[in-house]
Each structure stands twice: as C-alpha cells, then as structure tokens.
C-alpha cells in the first residue's frame, strides 16, 4: 500500500483523521491533565500536543535559529520547538490540528507512514497516563504496526531490541516476526515497539520478559 517512505496518498486521509481525533482529545482535557507527565520522555501532555502541532504552524525558515541554538542537534531543537508551540492556549492548539488536518507534512526518511505513526503513538503517550481508553482505529493501527515491524521505522524502533521476537495483537488478528511471542492489544504493542516501558505490564507470552529485559 505505502511503498518506500510511506508516499502513498491514501495515507493522507488517515493522518487527517488522527489529527482531528487528537484535536477532540485536547478540547476535552482539563488544565491539570494537560500538565500531566506524558509517556514521552520529560514532556508533559501539553508539550506532546505542541510537538504534533509544530510542523503544521511553523514556517521552515523559522526553524533554522532553533536548530542553530540547539547546536544542530535535531532532537534538542525538536524539543525546544515543541515547548514553544505548547505555550499557545489549548483551544488554539486544537484549532490548528483541525485547520491543518490535511497538511501534507512528510518527515524525511519515514515519510507519511512516520507521521501517521507519530500521531498514534503520541496519542497513547497522552491517553495512557491519564487512564483514558486507547480508542485507536484498527485499520490505521495495523498500518503503523506493519511500519514499526517492517525494518524501516528509523527513529521509532531499536531493531536490536525487537529482533527475533514475534508480535501478536490479540484484538486485531495481526502478527509479525519470528521467535518467542509477545502478545497484547494493538495499542500495547504500539507502545512496546516504540520503547514505552509502561506497556510491558499489558503484555504476555514467552517473549515478553525478553523484550522487557532488553
């Protein structure tokens, strides 16, 4: 479906739907929930939202000073930009996600597959610590799980960590890989594949302990 880098335009409606879903979530959160630590490093929920909004509202030329100030370290620049955008009112962040839902932002290397997966993973970074249901679309989730286990998810998956394991989603009829089985819901596998240790308690199978120890 997607080809190299996820260039298939059929991904764009999926990405737009995820942005609108995230906007609905942001609108429903209280100030205390927005300031809750997310599953994504040291970011709060609000800063995760800032990260998702930043490529939609920031002009490319404005990113250069941020990158220079971060010593040309992309991850540091990305974190600073996310925190800057996160200072906007939550209603403005939600409105930006809706207004730019169809934005064709395509990250280098990982393409639209990476953007779709980024939205779904960060959605769970928000929902999981708040005790909110995963509420993921099965078709979009399968696409991202295929991407994460397909060997091209640069920056998302440590390939050594997931090597020689088989992943099975108990609610999707989906599986990938060979070896001891790591079994859980699609949402739990999404988080586990991207290194979120909070998901380990929701996994079973002979390979779950191996994954947790790596």
């Amino acid at each position: 479906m997607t080809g190299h880098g996820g260039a298939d335009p059929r991904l764009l409606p999926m990405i737009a739907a995820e942005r609108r879903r995230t906007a609905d979530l942001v609108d429903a959160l209280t100030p205390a929930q927005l300031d809750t630590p997310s599953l994504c490093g040291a970011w709060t929920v609000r800063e995760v939202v800032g990260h998702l909004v930043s490529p939609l509202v920031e002009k490319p030329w404005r990113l250069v000073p941020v990158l220079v100030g971060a010593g040309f370290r992309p991850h540091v620049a990305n974190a600073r930009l996310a925190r800057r955008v996160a200072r906007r009112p939550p209603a403005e962040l939600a409105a930006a996600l809706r207004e730019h839902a169809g934005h064709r932002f395509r990250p280098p290397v990982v393409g639209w597959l990476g953007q779709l997966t980024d939205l779904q993973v960060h959605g769970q970074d928000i929902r999981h610590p708040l005790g909110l249901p995963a509420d993921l679309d099965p078709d979009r989730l399968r696409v991202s799980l295929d991407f994460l286990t397909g060997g091209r998810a640069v920056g998302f998956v440590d390939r050594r960590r997931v090597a020689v394991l088989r992943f099975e989603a108990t609610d999707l009829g989906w599986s990938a890989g060979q070896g001891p089985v790591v079994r859980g819901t699609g949402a739990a596998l999404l988080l586990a594949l991207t290194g979120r240790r909070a998901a380990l308690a929701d996994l079973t199978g002979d390979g779950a302990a191996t994954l947790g120890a790596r």
Side-chain angles (χ1 to χ4, degrees):
M1 170 186 174
T2 52
H4 180 68
D8 194 311
R10 287 175 290 180
L11 288 168
L12 291 173
M14 295 185 178
I15 291 169
E18 282 298 321
R19 287 178 180 146
R20 294 188 187 100
R21 192 173 76 94
T22 303
D24 291 343
L25 173 60
V26 174
D27 276 339
L29 298 179
T30 67
Q33 288 175 315
L34 286 163
D35 291 332
T36 298
S38 75
L39 294 186
C40 187
W43 285 357
T44 64
V45 166
R46 186 189 302 270
E47 289 163 347
V48 171
V49 178
H51 163 71
L52 296 177
V53 172
S54 61
L56 311 180
V57 300
E58 292 286 345
K59 302 296 184 185
W61 62 267
R62 295 182 64 183
L63 306 183
V64 176
V66 179
L67 186 59
V68 172
F72 294 96
R73 291 170 293 174
H75 290 295
V76 175
N78 183 41
R80 290 182 180 177
L81 184 61
R83 292 188 175 101
R84 185 171 80 187
V85 174
R87 298 189 191 110
R88 302 184 182 199
E92 184 177 327
L93 296 173
L97 286 164
R98 290 194 184 91
E99 179 183 351
H100 302 289
H103 196 293
R104 296 173 69 90
F105 169 64
R106 188 176 168 207
V109 183
V110 294
W112 289 329
L113 274 172
Q115 178 65 176
L116 175 65
T117 303
D118 200 50
L119 285 158
Q120 293 188 89
V121 171
H122 284 314
Q124 299 314 300
D125 286 337
I126 293 170
R127 290 173 176 273
H128 192 283
L130 295 178
L132 300 175
D135 192 31
L136 286 161
D137 176 85
D139 291 335
R140 299 196 289 268
L141 180 53
R142 287 189 189 94
V143 170
S144 285
L145 289 173
D146 284 340
F147 168 65
L148 292 172
T149 55
R152 291 182 174 177
V154 178
F156 285 88
V157 176
D158 182 340
R159 295 177 65 177
R160 296 167 299 177
R161 187 170 171 270
V162 302
V164 199
L165 292 172
R166 177 175 175 80
F167 295 89
E168 296 181 355
T170 56
D171 55 343
L172 296 176
W174 174 93
S175 62
Q178 299 293 327
V181 173
V182 179
R183 189 178 292 112
T185 65
L189 294 182
L190 183 78
L191 290 175
L193 285 163
T194 52
R196 274 65 172 174
R197 295 191 63 83
L200 294 176
D202 299 321
L203 302 176
T204 60
D206 294 340
T210 300
L211 181 65
R214 288 178 176 176

